[in-house]
Amino acid sequence: MQYKRILLKLSGEALMGDRQYGIDPKRLSEYAKEIKEVVEKGIEVAIVIGGGNIFRGVAGASNGMDRVQGDHMGMLATCINGLALQSALEAEGIQTRLQTAIEIKEIAEPYIKRRANRHLEKGRVVIFGGGTGNPYFTTDTAAVLRAIEINADAILKGTRVDGIYNSDPEKNKDAIKFQSITFKEVIEKGLKVMDMTAFTLSEENKLPIIVFDMNKKGNFMKLVSGEKIGTIVDN
Ligand code: GTP
């Protein structure tokens, strides 16, 4: 196996499947199965999930809502997705713990780094909800922050695109995919991998980012086994 401990970043939108909003149970269960395969190989898996399928703070702000208020709603949305993912994983027989950056103790454990580490060592999947617990930060930043804190070997960003291209592959059919690229090149070429806060945090802490297509069956397993799937951003 290529990795011992990874942090998987999933977007909230991915959970929508073909829907316009909310959670598609079929997609959720497909993800749970993909994650199960990897956990059963003995890889320690932590997960950060976005909340955009339910609420986005930025969208709220553009409609006149106070940004901080909107971001708080977004943080709660990530907790809802975390609970959904926890249920789906448990239905597959995988032990999980949900830890949140904002305390909602009756529903989930508060985030405690040392406890998260113990859970991972015991083979439990740890889902981090509530983003960083602060407004004005994205769940990408939360993912990088938690990955660094738990000493993950890499952050695996599961998206619907199979890597990083020199232009948007959904708009330009001649777009060329990079198999690997450095942090510096991403900035020089003006490519968008994550928001700058998340990206520079990753660069400064030498945490590789791998962007891959999570919707293609078996991809996640192939990636952690060392196959060249997606695009790796490294120093
Ligand atoms: P070990 O001590 O390593 O076995 O971990 P553990 O998570 O099983 O220990 P613990 O006895 O603390 O937790 C038992 C269950 O309670 C687990 O499902 C936890 O997720 C849950 N739990 C622990 N602390 C909290 C909390 O503050 N809030 C909520 N809602 N659940 C909690």
Side-chain angles (χ1 to χ4, degrees), residues 86 96-98 104-110 115 118-119 122 124:
Q86 180 170 43
T96 66
R97 295 289 184 267
L98 173 63
I104 38 171
K105 272 216 263 200
E106 288 73 10
I107 294 175
E109 295 178 23
R115 274 198 92 182
R118 285 297 290 142
H119 291 321
K122 289 180 178 176
R124 298 167 180 154

Side-chain angles (χ1 to χ4, degrees), residues 24-235:
D24 173 17
K26 189 167 153 271
R27 173 59 58 79
L28 195 60
S29 136
E30 282 164 5
Y31 278 0
K33 287 188 173 73
E34 299 284 308
I35 295 163
K36 178 188 171 134
E37 254 190 84
V38 167
V39 172
E40 284 179 342
K41 289 281 179 209
I43 292 156
E44 296 172 4
V45 179
I47 304 174
V48 168
I49 185 153
N53 54 324
I54 299 170
F55 195 84
R56 285 181 160 280
V58 177
S62 64
N63 290 319
M65 183 185 278
D66 176 69
R67 170 71 193 264
V68 176
Q69 190 87 344
D71 280 344
H72 285 161
M73 291 171 71
M75 285 180 216
L76 292 174
T78 70
C79 296
I80 293 174
N81 284 337
L83 286 166
L85 192 57
Q86 180 170 43
S87 277
L89 286 166
E90 284 177 351
E92 292 296 329
I94 298 293
Q95 288 219 37
T96 66
R97 295 289 184 267
L98 173 63
Q99 293 200 339
T100 56
I102 36 168
E103 278 204 21
I104 38 171
K105 272 216 263 200
E106 288 73 10
I107 294 175
E109 295 178 23
Y111 171 64
I112 298 167
K113 184 200 126 167
R114 285 171 188 272
R115 274 198 92 182
N117 273 334
R118 285 297 290 142
H119 291 321
L120 289 166
E121 284 163 4
K122 289 180 178 176
R124 298 167 180 154
V125 170
V126 181
I127 305 165
F128 297 118
T132 66
N134 297 100
Y136 295 100
F137 288 94
T138 62
T139 45
D140 274 352
T141 301
V144 175
L145 176 64
R146 294 292 183 246
I148 298 165
E149 287 184 271
I150 63 166
N151 281 318
D153 301 318
I155 175 162
L156 275 47
K157 187 174 154 109
T159 65
R160 58 199 165 108
V161 182
D162 68 342
I164 302 168
Y165 286 75
N166 64 350
S167 69
D168 186 346
E170 290 181 339
K171 290 183 188 139
N172 177 8
K173 65 175 173 47
D174 298 323
I176 297 163
K177 184 178 138 188
F178 298 99
Q179 197 168 72
S180 68
I181 189 164
T182 65
F183 284 96
K184 204 161 155 257
E185 280 171 321
V186 168
I187 293 170
E188 278 168 6
K189 294 181 197 296
L191 303 172
K192 188 134 179 22
V193 178
M194 286 179 173
D195 65 89
M196 279 316 274
T197 311
F199 192 77
T200 51
L201 190 62
S202 206
E203 181 182 20
E204 278 170 14
N205 290 281
K206 300 186 171 45
L207 175 76
I209 304 169
I210 301 146
V211 179
F212 75 107
D213 181 359
M214 180 72 187
N215 296 339
K216 193 161 169 207
K217 205 165 175 292
N219 251 4
F220 184 36
M221 184 65 218
K222 283 184 190 161
L223 179 52
V224 294
S225 316
E227 265 189 57
K228 300 243 175 298
I229 302 280
T231 301
I232 179 161
V233 188
D234 211 341
N235 286 293

